Amino acid sequence: MTRPLPLPLRLAFAAGAIAASVGSAAADADNGRAKAEACATCHGNNGISTMENVPSLASQPDLFLQWQLIFFRSGARKNETMAPIAEQLSNEDVRDLGAYFASLKTPDSSTAKAPDDHPELTEAGKQAAAAGRCAACHGDNYSGNKAAARIAGQREEYIVKALHDYKAGARTGGGVAAMADVAYPLSDDAITALAHYLSRL
């Protein structure tokens, strides 16, 4: 008799099937703007977060945003704040929100970031990103690609949190093992350096 798949994998496969249908229809960024008004409370105006451990959503890839909302909605990704919100979203809402946040621009890093007071961390983070082949999924400039997040310019402490969550198995990326595999061998120092480097791009 065939053994049933573990619940996280079943949720991930279900989310994948939903995502295929979600992405098949046209999205409306203008509709997404109205639907995103409530998101600003945590994720900031124009998708730029000013709240600790809450990610910025501006310029995140459309498909990445859709996947994450579907993972929250299906339970494949756990978050006490996002779960009840995502449960109320229709497939059209998911498409429109993805289109809206993907259309937003991030601040110019040359003016938005404070001077780098730890250049040694920047260099260590650059080396860690190269060693971990982060660009293979996240793109040469770390601006994201399809279902891979934009990590350039993301909040520094949020990157630290996300990497620790992947390393501990608290976040699986919706059943995709790649990030857990990458994060597991990282030392705390490497995670700190990566976050410092990526947040300043």
Side-chain angles (χ1 to χ4, degrees):
M1 184 174 64
T2 304
R3 296 173 62 184
L5 289 171
L7 179 59
L9 283 179
R10 281 184 279 147
L11 287 172
F13 284 129
I18 296 169
S21 65
V22 168
S24 64
D28 190 320
D30 288 335
N31 286 344
R33 183 189 308 275
K35 295 172 181 179
E37 288 181 1
C39 306
T41 302
C42 295
H43 293 283
N45 293 324
N46 298 316
I48 306 298
S49 172
T50 59
M51 187 177 291
E52 187 174 357
N53 286 326
V54 175
S56 292
L57 302 182
S59 291
Q60 288 289 347
D62 189 351
L63 284 179
F64 169 77
L65 292 165
Q66 290 190 46
W67 273 100
Q68 298 313 303
L69 288 172
I70 292 166
F71 291 150
F72 284 128
R73 189 174 69 179
S74 69
R77 183 174 173 188
K78 310 294 184 184
N79 183 279
E80 291 182 359
T81 301
M82 283 302 304
I85 295 171
E87 286 175 359
Q88 306 302 314
L89 298 177
S90 68
N91 286 353
E92 181 181 5
D93 294 335
V94 169
R95 289 192 297 270
D96 292 345
L97 287 167
Y100 169 64
F101 283 112
S103 73
L104 299 177
K105 303 300 181 186
T106 57
D108 181 354
S109 60
S110 64
T111 58
K113 304 298 179 186
D116 187 355
D117 52 353
H118 293 288
E120 73 285 357
L121 274 182
T122 299
E123 182 57 32
K126 185 176 182 180
Q127 293 178 11
R133 301 182 67 242
C134 301
C137 292
H138 295 281
D140 291 339
N141 57 0
Y142 304 107
S143 62
N145 180 32
K146 296 182 179 178
R150 175 189 179 91
I151 50 179
Q154 186 56 271
R155 290 185 61 88
E156 186 169 353
E157 86 288 339
Y158 178 75
I159 297 175
V160 170
K161 176 184 183 300
L163 287 172
H164 278 297
D165 285 349
Y166 281 122
K167 181 174 181 176
R171 179 175 172 182
T172 63
V176 179
M179 278 306 305
D181 289 343
V182 169
Y184 184 75
L186 292 176
S187 66
D188 288 350
D189 287 345
I191 288 175
T192 298
L194 271 169
H196 185 81
Y197 166 63
L198 292 169
S199 69
R200 282 164 172 74
L201 294 178

